[in-house]
């Protein structure tokens, strides 16, 4: 058992069936109370969850090691959970999963209880949380604002205290932007570190499961439980050896003031500057970096031929011309027609050059800090201009999987509007745990009260 799991075992005493059942009942009460948030597509019957709690409590009492005993979680509805419907927020696509995704299997084996499936931008195509037939999913902090997507419901369910943690997916920021707009932790692993078996594909070469939770230490434990090579997943990769820790005196990359772009809300830039000052206070030396390679790579995801991979993945599963897709989803997917095979190869060759530039950059710095998103938008604004504003949300996040980086999104500060704004730490592939260890230092997270029953006190309402 890992250090994080051992920490959970030590700090989290075995609970009685009654205590666990009470926590589950509280979760269902909050889900019922917050139906206006549209963050759930399917909620399993409470009696099923309570029966599972009793069975798990008996196993724990008999000495079975269950590091997540009775901890409730949610799963984005493009990830399979055995016996539950998977819809990717497209009702006519819905099927009942015969087998859980590998990441869900591992969490269930550790004693966690899935309460249901969360809302998302349809087929994970979007970063706003406002592209779902089940309704826009607003931020837990303010119902007027987008929650971020596509893993909108997963983030809001954690921020509103419905569940202790949740799973999302991340292709271009879906596991980070919602964390930033809801004031929680979002972990985007190295692509291939966590199996994507059981995920509805979006861009299969870039997709990865992601984690939303309330502390970095919780996230580290969860990542340890779900990571690992999976020979059933053709996109799984063998992890390299452990990376070296970020030293006490470190160098961090930051975006220069002239390259920051908050799209008309300079208060967001000021909060990013405060975060950089905090890193200096922690012992860091700031190095201004050229964001141009990141911006260029990011444009390839939705303004370049990778949209053709998205089209190929979705159209293979679903008739996008005759199914009940939202018009914005169909429009985005059909934009793939403008790219040829020659365009795709040219973009791959250019991406390799950009990756090399970024690799050389990380020889000079230990970590890079960027805003998680440029700024929040009001839902009404997003609905009026869904493509342009959605693209702005991904300004700092789109490039990360293309450039083969790992990331952790952290709460930073709050705008005068009351909306949370986060920052994201980036590091090269396979540095996931070193990055999380550094994040816990910055957040002063000592791992106390992991997945405690008091998790349900965390809510903006």
């Amino acid at each position: 058992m890992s250090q994080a799991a051992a920490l959970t075992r030590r700090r989290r005493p075995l609970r009685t069936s009654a205590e666990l059942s009470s926590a589950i009942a509280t979760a269902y009460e909050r889900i019922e109370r917050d139906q206006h948030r549209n963050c759930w597509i399917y909620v399993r019957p409470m009696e099923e969850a309570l029966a599972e709690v009793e069975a798990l409590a008996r196993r724990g009492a008999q000495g079975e090691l269950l590091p997540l005993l009775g901890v409730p979680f949610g799963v984005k509805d493009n990830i399979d959970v055995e016996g539950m419907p998977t819809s990717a927020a497209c009702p006519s696509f819905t099927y009942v999963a015969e087998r859980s995704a590998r990441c869900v299997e591992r969490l269930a084996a550790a004693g966690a209880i899935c309460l249901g499936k969360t809302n998302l931008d349809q087929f994970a195509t979007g970063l706003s949380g406002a592209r779902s037939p089940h309704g826009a999913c607003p931020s837990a902090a303010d119902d007027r604002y987008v929650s971020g997507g596509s893993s909108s419901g997963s983030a809001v369910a954690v921020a509103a205290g419905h569940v202790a943690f949740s799973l999302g997916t991340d292709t271009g920021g879906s596991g980070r932007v919602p964390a930033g707009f809801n004031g929680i932790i979002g972990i985007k692993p190295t692509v291939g570190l966590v199996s994507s078996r059981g995920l509805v594909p979006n861009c299969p070469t870039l997709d990865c499961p992601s984690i939303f939770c309330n502390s970095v230490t919780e996230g580290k434990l969860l990542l340890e439980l779900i990571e690992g090579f999976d020979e059933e997943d053709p996109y799984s990769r063998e992890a390299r050896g452990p990376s070296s820790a970020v030293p006490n005196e470190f160098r961090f990359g930051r975006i220069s003031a002239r390259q920051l772009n908050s799209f008309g809300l300079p208060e967001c830039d000021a909060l990013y500057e405060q975060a950089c000052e905090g890193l200096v206070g922690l012992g860091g030396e700031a190095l201004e970096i050229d964001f141009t390679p990141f911006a260029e790579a990011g444009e390839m995801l939705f303004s370049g031929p990778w949209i053709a991979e998205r089209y190929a993945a979705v159209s293979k599963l679903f008739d996008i011309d005759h199914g009940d897709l939202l018009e914005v989803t169909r429009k985005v997917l059909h934009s793939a027609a403008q790219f040829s095979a020659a365009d795709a190869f040219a973009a791959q060759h250019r991406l390799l050059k950009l990756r090399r530039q970024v690799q050389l950059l990380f020889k000079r710095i230990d970590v890079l800090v960027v805003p998680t998103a440029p700024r929040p938008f009001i839902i009404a604004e997003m609905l009026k201009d869904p493509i342009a504003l959605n693209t702005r949300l991904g300004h700092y996040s789109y490039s990360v999987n293309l450039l083969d980086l790992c990331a952790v999104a952290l709460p930073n500060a709050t705008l005068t509007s009351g909306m949370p704004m986060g920052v994201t730490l980036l590091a090269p592939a396979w540095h996931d745990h070193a990055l999380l260890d550094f994040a816990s230092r910055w957040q002063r997270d000592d791992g106390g009260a992991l997945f405690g029953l008091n998790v349900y006190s965390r809510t903006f309402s």
Side-chain angles (χ1 to χ4, degrees), residues 98 125 129 146 244 293 296 324 351 407:
E98 296 181 357
T125 300
V146 299
S244 56
E296 183 179 346
D324 55 355
L351 178 61

Side-chain angles (χ1 to χ4, degrees), residues 59-134:
R59 288 164 55 188
Q62 294 168 0
E64 186 173 347
L65 182 59
L66 297 169
L68 299 181
L69 174 62
V71 178
F73 71 106
V75 175
K76 185 177 180 179
D77 196 28
N78 63 342
I79 304 175
D80 286 344
V81 179
E82 181 181 357
M84 294 188 189
T86 299
S87 76
C90 183
S92 60
F93 174 74
T94 305
Y95 62 90
V96 176
E98 296 181 357
R99 182 185 182 188
S100 292
R102 192 186 197 215
C103 50
V104 175
E105 288 177 344
R106 290 195 163 192
L107 293 169
I113 298 178
C114 178
L115 298 191
K117 309 297 289 296
T118 56
N119 201 1
L120 67 151
D121 284 324
Q122 192 174 65
F123 281 107
T125 300
L127 276 181
S128 69
R131 295 180 177 179
S132 171
H134 302 281

Side-chain angles (χ1 to χ4, degrees), residues 115 133 152 236 281 308 318 344 350 375 384 402 423 448 460:
L115 298 191
S152 52
S236 184
F318 186 76
R350 179 58 183 162
R375 57 162 294 174
K384 287 181 181 179
L402 284 165
V423 292
F460 286 98

